[in-house]
């Protein structure tokens, strides 16, 4: 089975900060990597797929990169509405999630 | 507009059977993968399995193989998740997911509203 390891498990940053979340696959998964956002009490939402393709309607401050085993989700300027848990998902395996809060 | 509408919340006893549903609309149901994701209370997301309704091609996570059955009825554009004998540890929110925009079974771009299953004696 593929294992997906996210880091950090939680972070606190100020509005306007650049935030980076990383995800590492236990074996190469090419670019089969997606990122989801789940706000408290809400249904998860696809942000990025194929490692770097922004889903329609997602703000451009979100971006993704990586290939093989190492991937990154970046929020270029953190906004209050970005408070959520973020999950990477590689070939049918989810990471454990990163909880993002505002400092 | 793509929609996945799930059946309502269920309260069951251990050992009982259950089948929950997810009705797809606004797209060609037979031509896109549809799957299920579990979220236990206060925990993360877990991929359970996926089906391609046009061919009844079904894949399961090793963690859920043999524990649940995923099926689909093309005639009513509905996918199902089924248990034959529920356990208390099956208590969770279950999301139906569609793989439509990216047309890949690895990307869940459409989500149902979730079905809360509570198993308690």
């Amino acid at each position: 089975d593929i294992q997906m390891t996210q880091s950090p498990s939680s972070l606190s940053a100020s509005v306007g900060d650049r935030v980076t979340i990383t995800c590492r696959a236990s074996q190469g998964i090419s670019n089969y990597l997606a990122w989801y956002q789940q706000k408290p009490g809400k249904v998860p939402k696809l942000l990025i797929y194929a490692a770097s393709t922004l889903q329609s309607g997602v703000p451009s401050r979100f971006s993704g990169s990586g290939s093989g085993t190492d991937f990154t989700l970046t929020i270029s300027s953190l906004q209050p509405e970005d408070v959520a848990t973020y999950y990477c998902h590689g070939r049918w395996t989810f990471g454990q999630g990163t909880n993002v809060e505002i400092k | 507009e793509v929609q996945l509408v799930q059946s309502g919340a269920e309260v069951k006893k251990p050992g009982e059977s259950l089948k929950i549903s997810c009705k797809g609309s606004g797209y060609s149901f037979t031509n896109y993968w549809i799957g299920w994701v579990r979220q236990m209370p206060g925990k993360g997301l877990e991929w359970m399995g996926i089906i391609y309704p046009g061919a009844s091609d079904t894949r399961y996570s090793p963690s859920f193989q043999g524990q649940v059955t995923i099926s689909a009825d093309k005639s009513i554009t509905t996918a199902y998740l089924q248990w034959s004998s529920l356990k208390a540890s099956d208590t969770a929110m279950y999301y139906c997911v569609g793989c439509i925009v990216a047309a890949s079974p690895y990307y869940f771009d459409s989500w149902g509203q979730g079905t809360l299953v509570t198993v308690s004696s």
Side-chain angles (χ1 to χ4, degrees):
Chain A
D1 292 3
I2 294 171
Q3 309 297 323
M4 304 298 296
T5 304
Q6 269 182 254
S7 61
S9 56
S10 65
L11 67 89
S12 182
S14 300
V15 172
D17 281 355
R18 184 180 184 89
V19 168
T20 299
I21 300 168
T22 63
C23 184
R24 174 163 288 176
S26 59
Q27 62 190 77
I29 58 170
S30 184
N31 70 335
Y32 291 109
L33 193 284
W35 291 96
Y36 298 86
Q37 175 194 63
Q38 186 177 30
K39 296 184 178 182
K42 301 296 186 183
V43 177
K45 170 186 166 182
L46 176 66
L47 295 177
I48 287 167
Y49 62 95
S52 60
T53 302
L54 201 65
Q55 172 72 336
S56 176
V58 174
S60 59
R61 63 180 179 272
F62 291 93
S63 65
S65 64
S67 182
T69 60
D70 294 303
F71 301 89
T72 299
L73 173 70
T74 300
I75 308 174
S76 61
S77 176
L78 187 68
Q79 299 301 305
E81 59 266 32
D82 300 334
V83 170
T85 301
Y86 293 84
Y87 296 92
C88 67
H89 177 236
R91 293 198 61 171
W92 295 332
T93 302
F94 285 98
Q96 76 274 23
T98 296
N99 188 34
V100 174
E101 297 178 339
I102 299 290
K103 193 181 294 182
Chain B
E1 178 196 6
V2 172
Q3 283 197 308
L4 298 174
V5 179
Q6 297 183 228
S7 49
E10 301 274 1
V11 179
K12 292 288 192 179
K13 290 182 173 11
E16 291 185 332
S17 63
L18 176 64
K19 192 173 190 178
I20 62 175
S21 66
C22 170
K23 181 169 176 61
S25 63
Y27 72 102
S28 178
F29 183 80
T30 54
N31 291 338
Y32 297 95
W33 294 85
I34 188 165
W36 293 91
V37 171
R38 183 176 80 172
Q39 188 166 39
M40 299 176 75
K43 301 298 184 183
L45 304 174
E46 300 172 271
W47 177 75
M48 300 178 71
I50 201 163
I51 187 167
Y52 188 80
S56 292
D57 183 1
T58 310
R59 316 286 175 87
Y60 291 94
S61 162
S63 300
F64 292 94
Q65 178 85 47
Q67 308 304 307
V68 297
T69 301
I70 293 170
S71 61
D73 186 336
K74 294 181 290 188
S75 68
I76 55 173
T77 65
T78 299
Y80 301 97
L81 178 64
Q82 182 175 1
W83 295 260
S84 59
S85 181
L86 286 160
K87 302 185 280 285
S89 57
D90 292 318
T91 294
M93 181 71 82
Y94 293 88
Y95 292 105
C96 165
V97 293
C99 313
I100 298 156
V101 172
S104 164
Y106 299 122
Y107 310 131
F108 309 147
D109 50 71
S110 301
W111 291 67
Q113 81 277 21
T115 296
L116 181 62
V117 174
T118 303
V119 184
S120 173
S121 55

